[in-house]
C-alpha cells in the first residue's frame, strides 16, 4: 500500500505547445542577442572567426573583470540538474545535512581551488598562449601527458553535456505530464535536447567564448530571480509549513552522510579540474586579482544556491512523509474490521 502511494504520478498540466513556446522564446532571444553582438563586431570579422578562430573567439584573453567571472562561474555550473541533485540529497534522510553541505561546498570548491591554481597555470602556460589545462599539460609535461589530459577532458565534457541535456529534456517532459522513464517520452525528450543543441551550437559558432559568457550573465540573473520567487513561495504556502519536531525527525547528521560528504568532495573537485569551460574563464580574467575574487564570489553563490535547493528537498521530504503517514492512517481507519 505504501509503495502504491509513493508511486502515484502528479503530472503538471502545461500544454506541449506552451512548453515548446517557452523553449523557443528563451533560445531565440539568446540567439538574437548573440547575433546582434556579432553584427556590431562586423560581419567579415565574425566570418573570419568561424573559418579561422581568433584568440578572442577561443579565450577572450584578459577581457573580463571579477563580477562577470563570478556570474559566469555561477551560471555555467548551475544547470537544470540542480533541481534534481541537491533536493534529492536533502530528501534522503540518511544523507541529509552532511550530504547537502558536501554537495553544496564541493560544487563550488573547484572554483576555490582555481583561486590558487589558476594564476600558476596561467603563468606556466604563458600569458599570450594557451587557454586551457590541456595547453598547460603540453607545456609542462610534454605531448604524452597532453594527449592523456585531452582524452580525459573530452570524456568528462561529453558526460557533462549529455547529463545536462538529459536533465533539461526530463524537466520539460515532467512539465507536460510525460513519464521520464521508459520509452513513453523518448521522442519528446530527444526533440527538446536536439533543439537546445542546435541553438547553443549556432550562437557559440558565431561568437565563441564571449557568447557563452554573455549567456552566463543572463542566466545568472535569471537564476537569482527564479530563486527569489521560489523562496517567497516556500515561505508563504501553508502546505510547506512544518514543525521543528517534524523537521528534526526527518533530518540529522548521520555516518552515511559523512561518507557522502567526503566522496562528493573527492569526486567533484577532481572532475571539475578537467572542465575546460572553467579553465577558459581562468585565461579570460583581466588579472589574477579579478580571477581570484571572481571564482571566490562565484563559488559562494553556488554554495548558497545548492544549500537552498538542498533544504527545499528536506522540507519536501518532511511534507511528503507527513502526508504519507496521514494517508496511511486514514486508509487504516476506513478499512472494515473483521
Amino acid at each position: 500500500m505504501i509503495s502504491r502511494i509513493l508511486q502515484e504520478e502528479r503530472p503538471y498540466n502545461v500544454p506541449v505547445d506552451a512548453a515548446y513556446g517557452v523553449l523557443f522564446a528563451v533560445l531565440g532571444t539568446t540567439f538574437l542577442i548573440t547575433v546582434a553582438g556579432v553584427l556590431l563586431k562586423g560581419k567579415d570579422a565574425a566570418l573570419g572567426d568561424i573559418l579561422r578562430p581568433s584568440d578572442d573567439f577561443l579565450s577572450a584573453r584578459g577581457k573580463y573583470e571579477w563580477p562577470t567571472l563570478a556570474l559566469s562561474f555561477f551560471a555555467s555550473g548551475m544547470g537544470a540538474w540542480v533541481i534534481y541533485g541537491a533536493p534529492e540529497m536533502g530528501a534522503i534522510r540518511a544523507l541529509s545535512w552532511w550530504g547537502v553541505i558536501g554537495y553544496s561546498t564541493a560544487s563550488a570548491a573547484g572554483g576555490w581551488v582555481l583561486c590558487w591554481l589558476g594564476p600558476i597555470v596561467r603563468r606556466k602556460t604563458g600569458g599570450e598562449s594557451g587557454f586551457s589545462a590541456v595547453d598547460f599539460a603540453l607545456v609542462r609535461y610534454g605531448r604524452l601527458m597532453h594527449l592523456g589530459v585531452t582524452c580525459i577532458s573530452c570524456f568528462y565534457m561529453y558526460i557533462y553535456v549529455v547529463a545536462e541535456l538529459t536533465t533539461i529534456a526530463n524537466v520539460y517532459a515532467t512539465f507536460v505530464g510525460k513519464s521520464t522513464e521508459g520509452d513513453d517520452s523518448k521522442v519528446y525528450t530527444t526533440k527538446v535536447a536536439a533543439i537546445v543543441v542546435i541553438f547553443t551550437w549556432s550562437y557559440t559558432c558565431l561568437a565563441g567564448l564571449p557568447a557563452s559568457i554573455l549567456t552566463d550573465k543572463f542566466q545568472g540573473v535569471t537564476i537569482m530571480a527564479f530563486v527569489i520567487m521560489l523562496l517567497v513561495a516556500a515561505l508563504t504556502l501553508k502546505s510547506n509549513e512544518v514543525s521543528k519536531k517534524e523537521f528534526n525527525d526527518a533530518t540529522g547528521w548521520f555516518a552515511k552522510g559523512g561518507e557522502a560528504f567526503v566522496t562528493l568532495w573527492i569526486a567533484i573537485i577532481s572532475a571539475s579540474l578537467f572542465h575546460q569551460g572553467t579553465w577558459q574563464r581562468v585565461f579570460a580574467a583581466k588579472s589574477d586579482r579579478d580571477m581570484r575574487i571572481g571564482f571566490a564570489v562565484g563559488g559562494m553563490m553556488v554554495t548558497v544556491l545548492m544549500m537552498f535547493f538542498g533544504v527545499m528537498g528536506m522540507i519536501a521530504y518532511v511534507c511528503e512523509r507527513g502526508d504519507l503517514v496521514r494517508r496511511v492512517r486514514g486508509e487504516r481507519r476506513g478499512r472494515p474490521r473483521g
Side-chain angles (χ1 to χ4, degrees):
M1 179 183 61
I2 293 177
S3 175
R4 174 177 59 79
I5 292 173
L6 288 173
Q7 289 175 3
E8 287 182 352
E9 292 187 2
R10 300 180 180 179
Y12 294 89
N13 295 316
V14 178
V16 173
D17 291 341
Y20 273 129
V22 172
L23 181 65
F24 279 110
V26 173
L27 291 174
T29 301
T30 305
F31 180 78
L32 290 174
I33 292 173
T34 306
V35 170
V38 170
L39 293 176
L40 289 173
K41 184 179 179 181
K43 187 170 65 175
D44 293 338
L47 182 60
D49 278 345
I50 295 173
L51 299 176
R52 187 184 292 274
S54 65
D55 185 67
D56 181 68
F57 184 92
L58 294 172
S59 69
R61 192 181 312 278
K63 191 172 182 179
Y64 296 107
E65 297 181 348
W66 71 262
T68 298
L69 294 174
L71 271 178
S72 182
F73 178 74
F74 168 64
S76 62
M78 297 293 98
W81 61 271
V82 173
I83 65 175
Y84 283 98
E88 185 176 0
M89 194 68 63
I92 300 174
R93 185 173 183 271
L95 304 180
S96 201
W97 280 110
W98 279 121
V100 169
I101 293 173
Y103 208 172
S104 303
T105 53
S107 296
W112 296 335
V113 170
L114 289 180
C115 290
W116 161 72
L117 190 60
I120 298 173
V121 169
R122 197 158 76 157
R123 186 168 59 253
K124 293 287 184 181
T125 305
E128 300 301 322
S129 63
F131 56 88
S132 70
V134 174
D135 296 303
F136 169 75
L138 175 63
V139 172
R140 181 66 179 81
Y141 300 105
R143 181 62 67 184
L144 185 60
M145 183 62 74
H146 173 239
L147 293 174
V149 173
T150 299
C151 291
I152 296 172
S153 297
C154 288
F155 175 74
Y156 169 69
M157 294 308 297
Y158 170 76
I159 298 298
Y160 184 92
V161 171
V162 169
E164 184 67 19
L165 290 173
T166 302
T167 307
I168 293 171
N170 285 344
V171 167
Y172 269 84
T174 303
F175 280 157
V176 299
K178 294 181 180 292
S179 172
T180 57
E181 299 178 0
D183 297 330
D184 176 54
S185 63
K186 186 176 289 185
V187 174
Y188 179 76
T189 53
T190 302
K191 286 181 180 178
V192 171
I195 291 168
V196 173
V197 167
I198 291 169
F199 272 88
T200 306
W201 176 81
S202 298
Y203 69 68
T204 306
C205 281
L206 284 172
L209 181 62
S212 179
I213 293 179
L214 175 63
T215 57
D216 285 344
K217 292 165 70 175
F218 172 72
Q219 183 182 339
V221 174
T222 304
I223 289 173
M224 288 188 284
F226 178 63
V227 168
I228 291 172
M229 288 189 288
L230 281 179
L231 181 61
V232 172
L235 293 176
T236 56
L237 285 176
K238 199 165 185 64
S239 58
N240 289 331
E241 292 182 2
V242 296
S243 67
K244 184 177 180 180
K245 183 180 184 307
E246 288 177 321
F247 189 81
N248 289 337
D249 287 343
T251 61
W253 305 83
F254 305 106
K256 285 288 185 184
E259 293 175 13
F261 182 99
V262 175
T263 303
L264 288 165
W265 263 75
I266 295 172
I268 295 177
I269 293 177
S270 300
S272 63
L273 291 178
F274 289 95
H275 191 312
Q276 297 310 306
T278 304
W279 280 107
Q280 282 181 302
R281 284 149 181 81
V282 166
F283 289 86
K286 189 172 246 185
S287 65
D288 288 349
R289 177 180 177 275
D290 285 302
M291 183 199 309
R292 291 191 177 101
I293 297 176
F295 282 123
V297 173
M300 288 302 300
M301 294 168 69
V302 168
T303 300
V304 171
L305 181 72
M306 295 284 286
M307 282 293 297
F308 170 77
F309 278 106
V311 172
M312 290 299 102
M314 293 182 191
I315 294 173
Y317 172 68
V318 174
C319 293
E320 187 66 26
R321 190 180 187 216
D323 289 344
L324 181 60
V325 170
R326 285 189 288 272
R327 291 167 68 182
V328 171
R329 287 174 178 171
E331 290 197 11
R332 286 176 178 171
R333 283 196 297 266
R335 187 181 302 164
R337 296 182 181 181

